[in-house]
Amino acid sequence: MGYKAGKREIMCYGIGDFACNGCFTIVSSFLMYFYTDVVKMDLGRVGAIILVSRMADALSCLGMGGLIDRTDTKWGRVRPYLAGVIIPLCLSMIALFYMPDLTERGKAIYGYTTAIIFSVLYSGLSVSYSTMMTCMTKDSKERLGFNLTKNISANLGAFFVTSMTLFLVGKIGQGNAGKGFVGTMCVYGVLYTGIIFVTFWNTKERVEISQKRYSLGESLGVALKNRHWILLCVIEFFMLVGMTMRSQGTIYYAKYCLGQEKLGSVLLSISSFLAVPMMLVVTYLAKKIGKKKCLGYGNLLLFIGLIGMWVAKRNIAMLMPFHVLASIGSGIASGMVFVMIAEVVDYSEYQTGKRPQGFLTSAVSLMMKSGVACAGFLAAQILKWGGYAAGNVQSPQASKAIGINYIWLPAIIAVLSIAATGMYTLDEEYPKVAEKLQNL
């Protein structure tokens, strides 16, 4: 425990989330739009593809977690999966945004196939990367350092994607959006592959883990005894539903409710850009007031900002400050997630003497990705209920549906997240947990 991570390792670990969150942002912000407005697929099929593929991602998390718990190589438990999955993942991302000239049924089959393959491979990357922090250090202060660079890189990755995607699509496609999306994914694929290999070669797993391998039943038993883990799963489910509803609804809201399609990229980019300095603020706040209060206050600011945007309607000068407030709140709320995951893993070891960290981490990821899956399906069904027609002037009912997706459901979910956060008490208990584990 005397080892202290160097700045190089902290930076190289953190930069990996530029790629991980970049992949997530591409799909959560642009895939639904690609299907509805570029490919012109039926909304019912779009919703089903998103639901099935993201549930495949969610369920793959548990399998990936079990695989990590049973892995032991000279490179560690999780790092080999980063290097092994990134190239096929990037190839599948290119295929995901390429739609061959097929019948409607053929397009649906192709959509299901590519989306499921991408989702399973993404699960391999995200679960491995998320689990790394629990394998690199048990020191709470070091984890805050790793988490800071991770979150800054994640939000820079999201900012890069949200600010550059439609620009690159236009430049590469020259009026052909389908061609533009494929070319853009090729650019991202090369970039992300290089970044993940930087992370792989410049990090080290050093937390000594018992060689005991836990069965699924044992791991589940450990998890269900940990009330903090259960609450974190619930909180993350709520937050990812709300976050995804906002993200994938932004382009629609800007184009059809505000009448300015290009404003969609601006709104997405502001959210990602503001999240970068917020990581510095969140790290300070977490030390001063605790992670629990960061979650609660962040969701409160998000709620106030969303209600303000609804009041502003098409008044862009009034809308933008409230969008900034909502983005700040979202950044604060999401900033401590992976430190909290590491701490609930520690709590299980403190509580039971067992540390099935792959299962515990992947199960939280399962709940997060289930939230993403539900958000994608729900958003498509709400648009269908509203009579949404791609490229046309929307009816009042369709505009209402877009507003529900972008503002009202995320606002309601922010309130539910605040309520769940109020029951989380590990912040108060963690000092004695850390003290006991340090003495093991």
Side-chain angles (χ1 to χ4, degrees), residues 79-92:
R79 288 170 59 244
Y81 296 110
L82 297 182
V85 80
I86 185 61
I87 293 175
L89 172 66
C90 289
L91 291 174
S92 70

Side-chain angles (χ1 to χ4, degrees), residues 65 94 107 109 227 255 327 389:
I94 295 167
K107 289 179 180 179
I109 293 171
R227 64 181 294 270
K255 183 175 181 178
S327 299

